[in-house]
Amino acid sequence: MYRYYDAPFKIVKDGISLTLEQEGERLLYRSVYADKRVEKILLADRGKVLINPIEPLNKPRELTSYLLIEFERTLVVEPGSTKSIFVTYPIEIGVFIAGSNQFELIDILTLAKQKFTLYGDPRSGVICKYWKSEVYSSIPAVNPLHEGIIELSITNTTTGWVEVTKAIFNAYGMKIYYNDNLVSMRATMKIMSGRSAETDFVDAPLEEGMKKSLELYTVRRLPVVAPKFVMEVGI
Amino acid sequence: MTLEIVVYESVTLFDLLMVTLILIIAGIIAKGVALNLRKVLRDKVSKEHLEILAKTIYYSIIGIAVLSVLPILGVPPSGLLVAGGIAGIVIGFASKSVVGNLISGLFLMIERPMKLGDAVNIAGTAGVVEDIHIISTTLRTFDGLYVRIPNEKVFTSDIMDYVAHVARRLEYIIGIRYSDDADKAIGIIRKLSEEHPLTLKHPAGDIFVDNLGDNAVNIMVRIWVPSPEWYGVKKELLWKIKTALEAEGIEIAFPQRTIWFANELTSRGSAHNLPDSDSS
């Protein structure tokens, strides 16, 4: 599903219906999924549309740029070691209209469950998009329209064993890659103490031949904030 | 020539025109720079920081222009300190409230108890902060009225900022009948809360039987939501709770009183009008 499309086209998959029809000199875009319906008239010469996964922080509302993934099972990390795990994250699909070397977002869809949480206390904490994931030792088979995979490389720089129950990522650093079967990101987590860690992203695909997604958080605005996230009140 | 007419001391009419022109040009430049700054940085810097930056640059340009024209008017900048000291005392007495507001405005900008766009309640006036000027603060009340509050009043009043913290708790008391299952009702409300995308996973909601009231078993519902979404969720969730409870046969209790009579009652209808079952 993730690729360029020329108008007219119709995609029906996993309960999502996307159409772009020529209506005289204008284009009619329509998306229907779950109980949501969007219709837009595009006044464009060319009907070239890009559909790709985007940072999962826009639905139901853009309240935060942080994604918190809580692990189903607690990880206990050996001191001084670096280990990789795989976790899932919710997928949001961005529909962009392409023209004159510019892309404009016209729609965002998601089939994933939406939930938010608070990291820290109400005064100094941050609101995060919430997702709960099982921890895998290899790439799990998931539906790329529903879930993506993050390969998380965890480095314990401390001298003691550390328990990790969650990871928080900043959308401004996300580097999403996709192919027909997989949507992925690669991230790192550097444990600095029993309660703090720093997360970042690696700009590399999980498998060879994957395409890079158009990043919404750099298309819409320049990143004036650091793409890393420092978890200071518990990991 | 007319322009060489001396207005006072060595200051001529030409000097005054020059000063006026410089100040007008400075004003235009300051406005232009501030306007362009707002345009360029609109998507990159928060509205509040952008406003402070634009105002600082605007007043800096005006200030520099004023200082630069003082020598033309025969006022050396060094003499301004002495004159300023005396003038300050005079102006201070003459315009106590204005200076008070000004100082309060400066302190408000330093302390920053609220941000532009915050929903606040200042001295009983609730609304959204539209602007924090040097003399006054303007609010747009929730019913759309423009309210200007002098900064001195803002500074000395209690300020309640509804969105200063990222999360806020909403609270309902749901009264169900004594004949209903309170555990079941709590389960229904908890499920609704967990399924709502805008209620927070952590801190977890707190739902419990709070008290046994005169007419109802009162269930306390406490749920945390992101502050900007508090009002919308509060409106939406209450009705969903009510309909979900009713769908499961649990009803919201209303005031009722059971009255016991010492003697058995007979109604006029039952005494005279009811058909006799034996006669049919």
Side-chain angles (χ1 to χ4, degrees):
Chain A
M1 181 165 171
Y2 302 127
R3 62 180 180 86
Y4 280 98
Y5 293 86
D6 286 305
F9 69 82
K10 183 178 175 87
I11 308 163
V12 180
K13 200 169 184 182
D14 279 24
I16 296 175
S17 168
L18 294 176
T19 55
L20 188 62
E21 298 164 357
Q22 193 81 40
E23 266 196 3
E25 290 191 355
R26 62 188 195 173
L27 297 160
L28 181 67
Y29 167 81
R30 188 181 294 125
S31 74
V32 181
Y33 74 101
D35 57 345
K36 297 170 182 68
R37 186 185 178 90
V38 173
E39 259 192 36
K40 288 184 179 177
I41 296 166
L42 308 178
L43 302 177
D45 293 330
R46 286 193 320 149
K48 198 171 182 67
V49 164
L50 170 64
I51 300 174
N52 72 201
I54 54 169
E55 297 88 340
L57 291 141
N58 307 281
K59 287 282 183 177
R61 264 189 269 295
E62 191 188 331
L63 290 175
T64 176
S65 64
Y66 303 115
L67 171 68
L68 184 150
I69 299 178
E70 186 177 6
F71 306 144
E72 287 274 5
R73 289 176 288 176
T74 302
L75 300 171
V76 185
V77 189
E78 187 183 357
S81 68
T82 298
K83 303 284 179 197
S84 283
I85 58 157
F86 296 89
V87 291
T88 61
Y89 75 92
I91 286 288
E92 287 187 17
I93 303 163
V95 182
F96 298 85
I97 183 87
S100 312
N101 295 324
Q102 281 194 331
F103 293 89
E104 183 62 37
L105 182 77
I106 54 172
D107 196 11
I108 299 173
L109 308 92
T110 185
L111 298 170
K113 191 185 170 193
Q114 308 295 311
K115 197 72 185 164
F116 290 89
T117 190
L118 175 68
Y119 177 71
D121 61 69
R123 190 180 69 83
S124 57
V126 286
I127 298 289
C128 301
K129 187 81 171 278
Y130 176 83
W131 183 255
K132 194 160 192 173
S133 167
E134 183 54 84
V135 177
Y136 302 93
S137 55
S138 60
I139 300 172
V142 293
N143 183 339
L145 293 181
H146 292 250
E147 290 175 298
I149 303 295
I150 297 177
E151 184 196 42
L152 183 60
S153 173
I154 304 174
T155 304
N156 183 359
T157 63
T158 71
T159 53
W161 291 81
V162 175
E163 285 195 356
V164 183
T165 60
K166 55 184 161 291
I168 301 176
F169 303 101
N170 188 344
Y172 284 99
M174 289 181 178
K175 309 290 176 194
I176 303 171
Y177 286 84
Y178 64 91
N179 60 23
D180 290 340
N181 307 312
L182 181 67
V183 176
S184 74
M185 289 192 269
R186 295 181 75 178
T188 60
M189 183 183 202
K190 195 164 79 179
I191 298 168
M192 295 181 293
S193 77
R195 284 183 60 78
S196 66
E198 183 184 83
T199 60
D200 198 4
F201 284 94
V202 179
D203 191 2
L206 205 53
E207 292 178 351
E208 276 188 24
M210 293 181 92
K211 289 179 187 165
K212 190 172 182 182
S213 275
L214 191 62
E215 290 163 9
L216 191 61
Y217 276 67
T218 49
V219 169
R220 285 194 297 186
R221 64 186 82 160
L222 289 173
V224 290
V225 289
K228 295 178 181 179
F229 185 83
V230 179
M231 300 169 68
E232 291 175 319
V233 287
I235 56 177
Chain B
M1 279 177 70
T2 323
L3 289 176
E4 288 171 356
I5 294 169
V6 175
V7 182
Y8 70 92
E9 293 183 355
S10 61
V11 179
T12 62
L13 191 60
F14 175 77
D15 292 333
L16 284 181
L17 284 174
M18 186 65 98
V19 166
T20 313
L21 194 66
I22 289 170
L23 290 179
I24 289 170
I25 290 170
I28 292 168
I29 290 171
K31 205 136 201 160
V33 170
L35 198 71
N36 277 302
L37 205 68
R38 284 192 181 99
K39 263 188 204 169
V40 173
L41 298 178
R42 190 173 49 203
D43 294 336
K44 298 165 194 168
V45 182
S46 71
K47 193 183 170 192
E48 187 209 2
H49 290 134
L50 185 57
E51 276 307 308
I52 291 171
L53 188 68
K55 277 178 189 170
T56 308
I57 288 174
Y58 178 84
Y59 287 116
S60 298
I61 292 172
I62 298 288
I64 290 165
V66 169
L67 285 175
S68 66
V69 299
L70 286 177
I72 302 173
L73 295 171
V75 182
S78 56
L80 197 67
L81 292 172
V82 180
I86 298 163
I89 295 166
V90 175
I91 293 169
F93 276 110
S95 54
K96 183 179 160 289
S97 62
V98 174
V99 175
N101 284 324
L102 189 95
I103 301 294
S104 298
L106 289 175
F107 277 112
L108 281 176
M109 283 178 182
I110 294 164
E111 191 196 348
R112 295 170 63 206
M114 58 198 165
K115 297 194 292 289
L116 298 186
D118 279 4
V120 296
N121 187 322
I122 303 171
T125 306
V128 177
V129 181
E130 290 279 283
D131 211 343
I132 303 170
H133 299 283
I134 199 83
I135 299 288
S136 63
T137 295
T138 52
L139 297 187
R140 175 173 39 85
T141 62
F142 296 122
D143 53 347
L145 299 178
Y146 168 94
V147 179
R148 176 189 175 278
I149 308 173
N151 277 342
E152 199 171 3
K153 188 174 180 187
V154 175
F155 192 65
T156 53
S157 298
D158 294 340
I159 299 172
M160 194 186 293
D161 193 327
Y162 297 112
V163 292
H165 295 165
V166 293
R168 199 179 156 192
R169 197 180 71 187
L170 62 80
E171 198 170 286
Y172 304 119
I173 294 171
I174 312 284
I176 60 168
R177 299 175 304 188
Y178 270 87
S179 55
D180 291 326
D181 183 347
D183 285 335
K184 188 179 175 187
I186 288 171
I188 292 166
I189 297 168
R190 179 164 289 125
K191 186 165 178 278
L192 269 177
S193 162
E194 285 171 358
E195 282 175 354
H196 197 289
L198 293 172
T199 59
L200 295 178
K201 179 83 178 170
H202 301 290
D206 198 10
I207 303 161
F208 57 95
V209 173
D210 185 43
N211 65 68
L212 304 175
D214 290 342
N215 303 296
V217 174
N218 290 314
I219 297 172
M220 175 68 78
V221 181
R222 289 176 175 157
I223 299 166
W224 286 85
V225 291
S227 295
E229 303 298 328
W230 184 87
Y231 186 57
V233 176
K234 188 176 168 71
K235 279 192 301 183
E236 184 188 343
L237 208 53
L238 185 58
W239 189 250
K240 281 190 173 174
I241 289 172
K242 189 255 183 195
T243 49
L245 288 176
E246 285 187 348
E248 292 293 325
I250 297 170
E251 290 195 7
I252 305 297
F254 50 85
Q256 51 189 294
R257 180 152 297 174
T258 306
I259 300 170
W260 295 87
F261 291 92
N263 301 315
E264 192 180 341
L265 284 181
T266 52
S267 70
R268 190 176 294 172
S270 62
H272 302 287
N273 301 330
L274 286 177
D276 185 355
S277 57
D278 292 340
S279 62
S280 59

